[in-house]
Amino acid sequence: MAKPDQMERVVNLAKRRGLVFPSSEIYGGFRSTWDYGPLGVLLKRNVKDAWWRSMVQMRDDIVGLDSAILMAPRVWEASGHVATFTDPLVDCRKCNERFRADQLPDSGACPNCGAKDSFTEARQFNLMFKTFVGPVEDDASVAYLRPETAQGIFVNFSNVQTTARKKPPFGIAQIGKSFRNEITPGNFVYRTREFEQMEMEYFVPPEDGDQWFEYWCQERLGWYTDLGIPAEQLRLRPHETDELSHYSTGTADVEFMYPWGWGELEGIANRTDYDLTQHTKFSGQDLSYFDQENDRRYVPHVIEPAAGADRATLAFLLAAYDEEEVPDAKGGTDKRTLLRLDPRLAPIKVAVLPLSKNEQLVPLAGEIADALRAHFMIDVDVAGSIGKRYRRQDEVGTPLCVTIDFDSLDDRAVTVRDRDTMEQERIAIPDLLPLLHERLG
Ligand code: GAP
């Protein structure tokens, strides 16, 4: 179970070890935006790769897409985002802070200054970022940064269906940036204004919608447990009718037990034929599908598992974070911090550590590193005591360390140390690569 100060510890670790930095930090930061550092970019990429692998590579019914962030403004009229993608916003008349009306405390007091009954009437605030395309800033050149990647998939439905020669049930998957002018971003990378989504739209015959909705709920829950999040830190929560998005007849959230309580990790929605029908109306292009086998034409219904790469990365970090007492070299105990990340997600898979900076050990470590780097993301660390170097690797979740010592010069063998058990075994150098492949999958 997550501890209340777990978030602070993970944020500190993220900063200290180059996982995630506050964006524009030398200018004092910029409104809840974050930059992924050298290890963070690897971790998040591994999360996205694991999603792509399970969604696209391992299946023959789903294909990929990378559509543009800027799209014709009519797309957002058709999708309903111009009219309804809003949050109710109130201002505190005393301190001028803004809040979402639906997130105010029951006490009625301003969460910032404590003033009572100080809020303005709620007004609807559209979350889409507006910009202008071309040199003239007038109404005709307004465009929006996409608030979801899904619409790029819907407008390409016919292009993809015909070129990939797919028949429903089939899906289109996409990973990419989305933008929402959130009123209350926060909780580190949980809610930000710029974030990455991993969305898949699964097109099915209308009568099969409910069955596929159930299927994708279970499938997606299984993806998180398979990658190491304990089942008791996850749950599926069906939406109440008043929570449903404008397009959905049924939605369930995959929720994670964050340090502040249960929160959304991914949404799985039955979007029915809403989007394809709307785009048919607004574009004048027929987006129905002709089922030759059954001689019928229909507008496919869509089941959408929509995940966030940043939220998933945060959940994997929180679930992996651990601290434990371990024996130290002097017969006492020491505290170690570790990320028990699944090897598929770990930023660095293998650390290569010569026992010292000795002029014979370093070249041998270099040789081993060169042989490994084509296969795995590795790190070579020569600075500090071997104990400190193990701790540094534990802290960023490196599953295996390979230590080259003075015996290695004679017996052509190295020590492989396991992050979780701290057990060490001696392996002949020619056997090292197959062993690492076996352990790392
Ligand atoms: N196409 C459907 C859709 O966008 P959503 O529930 O609004 O559904 C899907 O978003 C996922 O995208 C969320 O479950 C979350 O993981 C991620 N997400 C949404 N808004 C976010 C934000 N402001 N910051 C970080 N991630 C966000």
Side-chain angles (χ1 to χ4, degrees):
M1 192 60 67
K3 299 177 201 82
D5 63 354
Q6 186 117 343
M7 190 69 173
E8 210 182 305
R9 290 172 194 234
V10 167
V11 174
N12 284 342
L13 174 71
K15 172 81 203 298
R16 188 161 38 94
R17 296 307 313 274
L19 288 150
V20 182
F21 307 122
S23 178
S24 316
E25 197 180 7
I26 60 168
Y27 290 96
F30 186 66
R31 300 173 176 227
S32 301
T33 51
W34 301 92
D35 297 337
Y36 287 81
L39 295 177
V41 70
L42 293 171
L43 173 62
K44 188 170 160 192
R45 178 169 296 201
N46 292 340
V47 170
K48 291 185 285 183
D49 284 350
W51 185 88
W52 192 264
R53 183 179 158 83
S54 84
M55 283 296 194
V56 180
Q57 186 178 335
M58 299 303 286
R59 308 182 60 111
D60 56 16
D61 58 346
I62 302 181
V63 291
L65 181 75
D66 185 5
S67 69
I69 287 173
L70 295 175
M71 302 174 74
R74 289 278 283 168
V75 168
W76 307 110
E77 289 171 31
S79 68
H81 283 83
V82 170
T84 60
F85 195 57
T86 55
D87 276 341
L89 175 73
V90 292
D91 294 306
C92 170
R93 290 196 189 88
K94 187 144 183 245
C95 67
N96 296 325
E97 273 297 306
R98 295 198 157 150
F99 304 97
R100 270 175 64 171
D102 54 344
Q103 289 178 349
L104 292 175
D106 293 339
S107 67
C110 169
N112 185 48
C113 69
K116 280 265 187 188
D117 303 321
S118 62
F119 298 117
T120 56
E121 282 296 301
R123 63 197 156 87
Q124 291 300 324
F125 169 74
N126 195 296
L127 299 184
M128 283 197 294
F129 276 100
K130 258 187 197 170
T131 187
F132 299 95
V133 173
V136 184
E137 295 195 3
D138 62 10
D139 286 351
S141 55
V142 164
Y144 301 96
L145 301 189
R146 67 180 176 199
E148 62 172 13
T149 59
Q151 297 303 324
I153 297 180
F154 296 127
V155 301
N156 277 294
F157 169 72
S158 287
N159 281 340
V160 176
Q161 188 267 316
T162 50
T163 54
R165 293 181 295 114
K166 292 287 177 200
K167 297 176 187 168
F170 83 95
I172 305 176
Q174 162 153 248
I175 298 177
K177 288 246 169 155
S178 291
F179 302 83
R180 296 181 190 176
N181 202 356
E182 299 280 2
I183 300 165
T184 47
N187 280 332
F188 195 33
V189 296
Y190 177 80
R191 179 170 286 111
T192 51
R193 296 191 172 103
E194 172 182 347
F195 53 96
E196 250 178 308
Q197 291 189 305
M198 309 186 288
E199 297 198 289
M200 195 277 291
E201 310 301 321
Y202 200 70
F203 301 91
V204 304
E207 61 279 11
D208 295 346
D210 290 346
Q211 168 201 328
W212 282 109
F213 176 70
E214 284 308 317
Y215 169 87
W216 280 109
C217 284
Q218 295 311 320
E219 198 65 17
R220 293 302 305 148
L221 201 56
W223 184 76
Y224 292 100
T225 50
D226 176 54
L227 285 168
I229 299 189
E232 63 274 14
Q233 288 182 35
L234 291 167
R235 72 175 186 190
L236 259 182
R237 188 185 65 81
H239 276 205
E240 305 290 339
T241 320
D242 63 350
E243 281 182 274
L244 292 176
S245 311
H246 58 274
Y247 48 73
S248 174
T249 57
T251 298
D253 284 344
V254 177
E255 292 192 333
F256 174 71
M257 179 51 98
Y258 294 94
W260 61 89
W262 290 105
E264 179 183 341
L265 187 51
E266 162 161 358
I268 300 149
N270 183 345
R271 293 180 77 128
T272 66
D273 59 358
Y274 176 82
D275 301 273
L276 292 182
T277 303
Q278 286 293 99
H279 286 304
T280 299
K281 266 190 220 153
F282 277 70
S283 69
Q285 305 284 320
D286 180 9
L287 298 178
S288 63
Y289 170 76
F290 183 65
D291 173 0
Q292 275 179 334
E293 274 162 45
N294 296 299
D295 193 26
R296 67 166 185 157
R297 180 169 287 283
Y298 62 83
V299 179
H301 280 213
V302 174
I303 309 303
E304 172 196 69
D310 309 86
R311 251 181 227 188
T313 302
L314 175 59
F316 285 121
L317 268 177
L318 286 164
Y321 185 89
D322 199 8
E323 287 171 9
E324 64 177 15
E325 294 282 329
V326 289
D328 69 11
K330 296 175 200 141
T333 56
D334 188 16
K335 195 184 85 176
R336 75 165 179 152
T337 300
L338 73 162
L339 291 180
R340 296 187 190 275
L341 287 169
D342 184 285
R344 289 168 288 180
L345 300 182
I348 304 290
K349 313 295 182 196
V350 185
V352 177
L353 312 174
L355 192 61
S356 74
K357 286 184 182 158
N358 174 281
E359 60 190 20
Q360 283 178 296
L361 293 189
V362 172
L364 180 57
E367 258 174 55
I368 292 173
D370 286 344
L372 299 184
R373 69 173 90 246
H375 301 266
F376 309 106
M377 192 70 214
I378 64 157
D379 182 28
V380 181
D381 188 1
V382 292
S385 75
I386 191 70
K388 282 213 175 98
R389 281 182 278 162
Y390 284 150
R391 294 287 179 276
R392 275 208 288 270
Q393 296 298 333
D394 291 342
E395 223 181 26
V396 296
T398 307
L400 298 171
C401 290
V402 172
T403 309
I404 295 98
D405 57 24
F406 289 99
D407 290 340
S408 307
L409 299 173
D410 301 323
D411 67 1
R412 303 296 293 173
V414 292
T415 300
V416 175
R417 173 196 181 261
D418 182 278
R419 174 196 69 201
D420 295 339
T421 62
M422 297 192 295
E423 273 167 20
Q424 305 192 2
E425 60 187 304
R426 199 80 186 152
I427 300 291
I429 292 174
D431 298 336
L432 182 62
L433 190 56
L435 176 100
L436 297 180
H437 273 300
E438 190 194 310
R439 294 281 177 84
L440 297 167

